């Protein structure tokens, strides 16, 4: 039985989602605000979190950011707003998925289950090695010379995607389509900010070794030959 935390200040939404998910076989815990959600997440083993963006006190984006400091549990955002910038804020904070209200309960359950199964799927673990740099796509760990650095979900996905295709240049549009799976719109700056964070973390982890190169006017590519 999978355990899911529902975080929303709307009692009707909590009741409706709880009833449907319990009918599907989930164990459901709920929280009405961000502080309560953080308390539960810090003391309870969870398989997924469904997190409203608009919450009293700490908003959902900040809650997600704090959870990501200590946990890789799948997080799916819910919001009454479907603006691209709002979705990107959630993804940059470490969210795994985004669903706009109103939504289908069936789609909600399918997205929750898909994220849980993706995380559980150990058969597709892959270790990408480039000299001293190791990127474990199953454990979602990035190490260099036995030192480990923490990456958010989106940061790790961008790094792993580029590392799987060393030497290839990918445009902003291609990275959005193949990693973020979101329309490009006006998100170039957000992409640049996220990639800058990836590069800063790599620079701190392996100083003097530069793995990601910006190709002016074209995009990014990963440098380095894979090692067996």
């Amino acid at each position: 039985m999978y355990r899911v935390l529902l975080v929303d200040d709307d009692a009707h939404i909590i009741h409706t989602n709880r009833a449907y998910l319990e009918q599907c076989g989930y164990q459901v815990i709920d929280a009405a605000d961000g502080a309560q959600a953080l308390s539960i997440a810090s003391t309870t083993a969870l398989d997924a979190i469904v997190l409203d963006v608009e919450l009293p006190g700490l908003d959902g984006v900040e809650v997600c950011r704090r959870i990501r400091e200590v946990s890789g549990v799948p997080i799916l955002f819910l919001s009454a707003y479907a603006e691209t910038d709002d979705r990107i804020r959630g993804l940059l904070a470490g969210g795994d998925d985004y669903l706009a209200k109103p939504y289908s309960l069936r789609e909600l359950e399918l997205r929750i289950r898909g994220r849980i199964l993706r995380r559980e799927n150990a058969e597709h673990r892959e270790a990408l090695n480039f000299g001293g740099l190791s990127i474990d796509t199953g454990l979602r760990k990035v190490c260099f010379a036995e030192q480990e650095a923490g990456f958010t979900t989106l940061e790790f996905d961008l790094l792993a995607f580029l590392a799987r295709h060393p030497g290839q240049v990918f445009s902003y549009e291609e990275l959005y389509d193949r990693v973020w799976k979101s329309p490009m719109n006006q998100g170039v700056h957000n992409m640049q900010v996220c990639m800058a964070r990836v590069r800063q973390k790599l620079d701190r982890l392996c100083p003097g070794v530069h793995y990601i190169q910006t190709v002016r006017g074209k995009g990014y590519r990963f440098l380095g030959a894979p090692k067996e």
Side-chain angles (χ1 to χ4, degrees), residues 124-130 133-143 151-168 170 175 178-180 194-195 198-199 202 211-212 220-224 226:
H124 296 292
R125 287 182 179 175
E126 179 182 15
L128 305 171
N129 296 298
F130 302 88
L133 179 67
S134 174
I135 303 169
D136 190 315
T137 61
L139 298 177
R140 300 183 71 82
K141 292 173 57 176
V142 181
C143 301
F151 288 78
T152 68
T153 298
L154 183 53
E155 290 167 356
F156 183 89
D157 288 345
L158 283 170
L159 174 59
F161 177 80
L162 289 171
R164 287 191 180 102
H165 306 88
Q168 295 186 41
F170 291 94
L175 289 173
R178 300 177 70 172
V179 181
W180 289 20
C194 187
M195 189 63 74
V198 173
R199 298 174 76 171
L202 284 177
Y211 285 100
I212 296 177
Y220 303 98
R221 67 178 161 204
F222 189 89
L223 301 177

Side-chain angles (χ1 to χ4, degrees), residues 4-15:
V4 176
L5 172 62
L6 303 179
V7 188
D8 204 302
D9 61 336
D10 188 322
H12 175 70
I13 289 176
I14 288 285
H15 174 77

Side-chain angles (χ1 to χ4, degrees), residues 3-210:
R3 184 182 293 129
V4 176
L5 172 62
L6 303 179
V7 188
D8 204 302
D9 61 336
D10 188 322
H12 175 70
I13 289 176
I14 288 285
H15 174 77
T16 302
N17 289 351
R18 170 190 282 277
Y20 186 83
L21 292 175
E22 288 181 341
Q23 181 182 341
C24 293
Y26 293 84
Q27 180 183 351
V28 178
I29 305 170
D30 63 77
D33 57 49
Q36 187 181 9
L38 288 174
S39 176
I40 294 171
S42 67
T43 58
T44 307
L46 299 169
D47 295 294
I49 298 174
V50 179
L51 183 59
D52 187 33
V53 172
E54 299 296 323
L55 292 170
L58 294 174
D59 69 7
V61 173
E62 180 60 25
V63 171
C64 177
R65 186 175 292 113
R66 295 192 188 187
I67 290 174
R68 275 292 168 263
E69 293 176 357
V70 295
S71 173
V73 61
I75 296 176
L76 188 152
F77 276 105
L78 296 181
S79 176
Y81 307 103
E83 297 296 329
T84 298
D85 285 348
D86 204 35
R87 293 200 303 271
I88 290 174
R89 283 179 62 230
L91 294 173
L92 285 172
D96 298 282
D97 208 344
Y98 196 104
L99 197 57
K101 300 175 181 178
Y103 50 84
S104 157
L105 289 172
R106 176 61 172 157
E107 181 179 4
L108 173 64
E109 191 277 324
L110 286 173
R111 291 200 186 203
I112 292 171
R113 187 181 351 146
R115 289 295 171 178
I116 293 173
L117 293 177
R118 181 179 299 183
R119 191 177 186 219
E120 284 186 339
N121 192 0
E123 297 93 318
H124 296 292
R125 287 182 179 175
E126 179 182 15
L128 305 171
N129 296 298
F130 302 88
L133 179 67
S134 174
I135 303 169
D136 190 315
T137 61
L139 298 177
R140 300 183 71 82
K141 292 173 57 176
V142 181
C143 301
F144 185 85
E146 300 183 355
Q147 299 296 315
E148 182 179 347
F151 288 78
T152 68
T153 298
L154 183 53
E155 290 167 356
F156 183 89
D157 288 345
L158 283 170
L159 174 59
F161 177 80
L162 289 171
R164 287 191 180 102
H165 306 88
Q168 295 186 41
V169 178
F170 291 94
S171 67
Y172 303 118
E173 291 84 358
E174 288 173 319
L175 289 173
Y176 253 75
D177 181 60
R178 300 177 70 172
V179 181
W180 289 20
K181 303 186 187 304
S182 172
M184 190 63 188
N185 294 336
Q186 304 300 315
V188 173
H189 176 68
N190 295 293
M191 164 73 74
Q192 292 169 332
V193 169
C194 187
M195 189 63 74
R197 290 175 182 162
V198 173
R199 298 174 76 171
Q200 288 169 1
K201 290 181 179 181
L202 284 177
D203 287 344
R204 289 196 296 268
L205 181 64
C206 35
V209 184
H210 303 292

